[in-house]
Amino acid sequence: MKKLLIILGSLGITASVGGTVVSCEFTKSGVVNLGNLKSPSIEKFADQKSIDLEYLKANKNLITGLEKINPSEIKFENFKNDEVKKTITVDIVSLENSKTVSGSIKNLEIKVVEYVKKNVKNIITEMSLGEVSTKNTVPNSQELINAIKKSNFHSLINNVFSQTEGFSFDNVKNDSFTLTISKESKYLVENEKIDFKYTLKSTATEKIKLETLLKNKNIGEFKISREKPRADEVMEKLILSNSDLVRYKSQLEVTDIQSTKATIKVKSNSNELVQGGSVEVNFILRNKLEDIVIENNLGKFLVEKSLPTKEEVIDRLIEKNPNIGNFKSSLTILGNLNLTSATISVKSDSVILIPDSSITVTYVVESKLPTLKSLIKVDKVGIIQKTEEEFTIDDFKVIFIEKNPEIAEYMNDLKMKMNTSFGSVDITVIPTSEKLSIFDSIKIFFKLVTDKPEPESKPESKPENKPENKPESKPESKPAVIASQPTENITNPSTTLKS
């Protein structure tokens, strides 16, 4: 053994004595010859159930004898796992142009042992990190981690820094810092420290003012059913209207959102934009009318005339839906009102609602005006002894007023259509009437007969009894007779008058 050590010493190679002996060969350049690996082991983390190929690839430096090689310079083939023997078998091949390892070995049996925490200085051996780039006055944690990984390739480093806890960076200056391992670390001995040196390379540029990037302050139109857009919706429109802001999106926030404008501010931690800067942007909010109207039933209108006014209908809609009060100037009534419903539409020039959209509202009207039916006290016109050619609408009006004197003052508000063939008159109220309810109507029936009376039938004379010689009596002439007959409402035209 002593001779072996003397020979190795002459070759610049050292070997350890005592403990588990792993035979491997280092050349003067420090390259590991894979063919000389004998009886190696690999450590398994406590939370790892078994070792698979992925675990092996991620923890190459946990194989004894390969602790100092660059893990990217070898590959594994023909992996097998023996759970009973607690061993794995694998072929290991060094890659071309490798600087820390050479050769290959087949069917290498590797024993699986439990992991023991390491000293940080055994896996991080290079403390001079060279240039570290940052936009800040000193590098942040991720930039320091990247610098350590770049200069140190031990596979365990990835596990160490994959934890959100277990280490900290202390005394970070513009040329040095200290890595401290805490008790939460699953991989390294706690309270160990290591000091690093580096050269700061600042990539910071002069901070930009927000107003120089935000060129389009009118960011477009929102079609939503709310009183104002959300912050994320404003941000999306802002970026679409100002493509130069894409890379700075995470450094901006939206505040003071109103129905037509919002404020864009630079966050306090922005490292590229002048902090505290703000710009007001404008937009158009167009709501869908059907989305913001909750109550379409407007209830009862007690009106002086036949119908409420269009303004009264819109006011009642807002009374039932207070949330649309700001949109009143954009609303109009489409067409005419009717007795039970109306169509409310958005004006075509509206800038706050989607133009020409509409809804239907319903209501009940109770008018203070008299109805046509209430004025018809006598609804029986009866038999009229005239021909169809002789009987005119004016003749009917005279008879109609005689039977119903109260209707006389409303005659100019009525429209009459007579059908002498069917013996009826349709009476409606004209739409412009301010005296009668315009939604009332009635149908009056009559029967026309000619003026010539039918001849009376004479009884047959009996031959055995001669009548006395008396002058024949002439029938008396009959004046035009108006007999009482029932009048029918237009809503029940099936009932007819008897002659």
Side-chain angles (χ1 to χ4, degrees):
M1 183 66 180
K2 182 177 181 181
K3 290 182 179 180
L4 176 61
L5 293 175
I6 293 172
I7 294 171
L8 293 175
S10 66
L11 295 174
I13 302 174
T14 60
S16 60
V17 293
T20 302
V21 176
V22 179
S23 177
C24 61
E25 182 178 318
F26 287 91
T27 67
K28 288 183 179 180
S29 59
V31 178
V32 174
N33 187 337
L34 292 174
N36 293 331
L37 281 177
K38 304 294 181 181
S39 304
S41 63
I42 182 170
E43 294 181 280
K44 179 176 71 69
F45 301 137
D47 57 359
Q48 183 75 20
K49 291 184 178 180
S50 64
I51 291 183
D52 54 19
L53 183 57
E54 292 304 315
Y55 180 89
L56 193 62
K57 289 178 180 180
N59 297 282
K60 296 174 182 177
N61 294 121
L62 291 184
I63 300 174
T64 51
L66 302 183
E67 295 93 335
K68 295 183 179 181
I69 70 165
N70 187 332
S72 65
E73 294 179 352
I74 62 171
K75 66 177 181 179
F76 299 116
E77 296 175 348
N78 302 318
F79 172 84
K80 297 177 183 178
N81 183 13
D82 190 330
E83 295 281 355
V84 177
K85 294 174 60 178
K86 295 185 177 180
T87 61
I88 61 171
T89 304
V90 69
D91 299 342
I92 307 177
V93 181
S94 63
L95 303 180
E96 189 177 356
N97 299 322
S98 296
K99 295 181 180 180
T100 62
V101 65
S102 65
S104 63
I105 189 167
K106 292 183 177 294
N107 270 338
L108 178 63
E109 186 177 79
I110 304 174
K111 184 179 180 181
V112 178
V113 298
E114 295 300 319
Y115 178 78
V116 178
K117 286 187 177 183
K118 306 291 185 287
N119 189 300
V120 65
K121 292 182 180 179
N122 289 338
I123 67 165
I124 299 178
T125 57
E126 184 56 64
M127 282 73 79
S128 295
L129 305 181
E131 286 188 344
V132 179
S133 300
T134 183
K135 295 178 181 180
N136 306 309
T137 54
V138 294
N140 58 36
S141 294
Q142 189 58 53
E143 289 168 336
L144 294 178
I145 290 172
N146 293 340
I148 294 172
K149 287 182 177 181
K150 183 178 179 182
S151 300
N152 296 270
F153 44 67
H154 198 291
S155 57
L156 194 58
I157 294 176
N158 290 323
N159 300 78
V160 172
F161 292 123
S162 65
Q163 287 185 269
T164 56
E165 52 187 11
F167 66 91
S168 64
F169 293 112
D170 305 317
N171 302 319
V172 180
K173 300 178 182 178
N174 60 6
D175 62 350
S176 64
F177 65 93
T178 299
L179 172 64
T180 303
I181 307 303
S182 63
K183 64 180 180 180
E184 289 80 14
S185 177
K186 293 164 50 178
Y187 308 101
L188 300 178
V189 177
E190 65 181 274
N191 298 326
E192 292 293 324
K193 297 184 179 183
I194 188 167
D195 296 322
F196 293 90
K197 296 288 185 181
Y198 70 93
T199 301
L200 180 67
K201 183 179 179 181
S202 177
T203 58
T205 56
E206 185 178 351
K207 290 191 176 182
I208 306 170
K209 291 183 178 180
L210 177 59
E211 51 265 34
T212 63
L213 296 171
L214 204 164
K215 299 173 182 178
N216 189 357
K217 297 180 182 179
N218 295 312
I219 62 174
E221 180 178 300
F222 291 95
K223 294 181 178 181
I224 56 177
S225 58
R226 286 173 271 110
E227 294 183 357
K228 59 184 180 180
R230 300 190 306 267
D232 63 303
E233 292 171 330
V234 174
M235 182 64 73
E236 182 180 354
K237 289 283 187 183
L238 176 72
I239 300 301
L240 288 174
S241 303
N242 298 271
S243 57
D244 290 343
L245 290 176
V246 173
R247 62 171 290 183
Y248 306 103
K249 180 179 177 180
S250 62
Q251 302 176 49
L252 301 174
E253 60 182 342
V254 182
T255 63
D256 193 24
I257 303 174
Q258 300 179 32
S259 60
T260 58
K261 61 183 180 179
T263 300
I264 311 300
K265 286 187 177 181
V266 178
K267 292 182 180 179
S268 59
N269 61 351
S270 173
N271 54 17
E272 295 179 283
L273 302 177
V274 176
Q275 297 173 2
S278 65
V279 176
E280 186 175 271
V281 295
N282 304 302
F283 48 81
I284 296 173
L285 182 63
R286 294 182 187 267
N287 296 89
K288 293 181 180 180
L289 184 59
E290 59 267 32
D291 288 341
I292 60 176
V293 172
I294 300 171
E295 182 56 72
N296 292 61
N297 188 337
L298 306 187
K300 181 186 288 187
F301 285 95
L302 183 61
V303 296
E304 298 290 335
K305 298 181 180 180
S306 296
L307 289 171
T309 64
K310 292 182 176 182
E311 185 176 3
E312 287 173 332
V313 172
I314 291 177
D315 287 343
R316 181 68 65 84
L317 176 68
I318 293 172
E319 179 185 328
K320 295 285 185 178
N321 300 272
N323 58 303
I324 68 169
N326 294 333
F327 307 130
K328 179 179 179 180
S329 61
S330 295
L331 302 179
T332 186
I333 300 293
L334 192 64
N336 295 321
L337 302 177
N338 62 43
L339 190 59
T340 59
S341 65
T343 300
I344 299 180
S345 177
V346 178
K347 295 177 182 178
S348 58
D349 60 350
S350 174
V351 296
I352 55 177
L353 292 174
I354 298 177
D356 302 321
S357 59
S358 61
I359 60 167
T360 298
V361 295
T362 58
Y363 48 78
V364 175
V365 176
E366 186 176 315
S367 174
K368 294 183 179 180
L369 294 177
T371 62
L372 177 60
K373 294 183 183 68
S374 69
L375 298 173
I376 306 302
K377 304 300 182 184
V378 178
D379 58 355
K380 299 177 181 179
V381 172
I383 299 173
I384 301 171
Q385 290 182 332
K386 281 195 176 185
T387 65
E388 291 183 14
E389 293 77 13
E390 294 173 331
F391 190 60
T392 66
I393 192 67
D394 290 332
D395 295 329
F396 174 81
K397 289 180 180 178
V398 171
I399 299 170
F400 186 56
I401 294 172
E402 286 178 356
K403 297 291 184 180
N404 300 279
E406 290 185 23
I407 201 69
E409 65 174 290
Y410 302 101
M411 290 301 290
N412 290 335
D413 291 82
L414 301 179
K415 180 180 179 181
M416 298 185 179
K417 184 178 180 180
M418 184 168 67
N419 188 328
T420 53
S421 298
F422 288 98
S424 64
V425 177
D426 291 320
I427 305 175
T428 57
V429 181
I430 61 175
T432 56
S433 175
E434 295 186 356
K435 294 182 178 180
L436 292 173
S437 174
I438 63 175
F439 295 101
D440 206 5
S441 62
I442 196 169
K443 183 186 284 286
I444 304 296
F445 291 92
F446 59 87
K447 184 172 183 180
L448 296 178
V449 297
T450 59
D451 288 335
K452 185 177 180 181
E454 295 180 1
E456 292 183 1
S457 59
K458 295 181 180 180
E460 294 182 2
S461 57
K462 297 178 181 181
E464 62 274 14
N465 296 322
K466 292 184 178 180
E468 296 180 3
N469 293 326
K470 292 183 180 180
E472 292 183 2
S473 60
K474 296 181 179 181
E476 296 180 2
S477 60
K478 297 180 181 179
V481 177
I482 301 172
S484 296
Q485 292 295 335
T487 299
E488 286 298 322
N489 188 293
I490 192 170
T491 59
N492 188 17
S494 60
T495 305
T496 56
L497 297 171
K498 295 181 180 178
S499 40

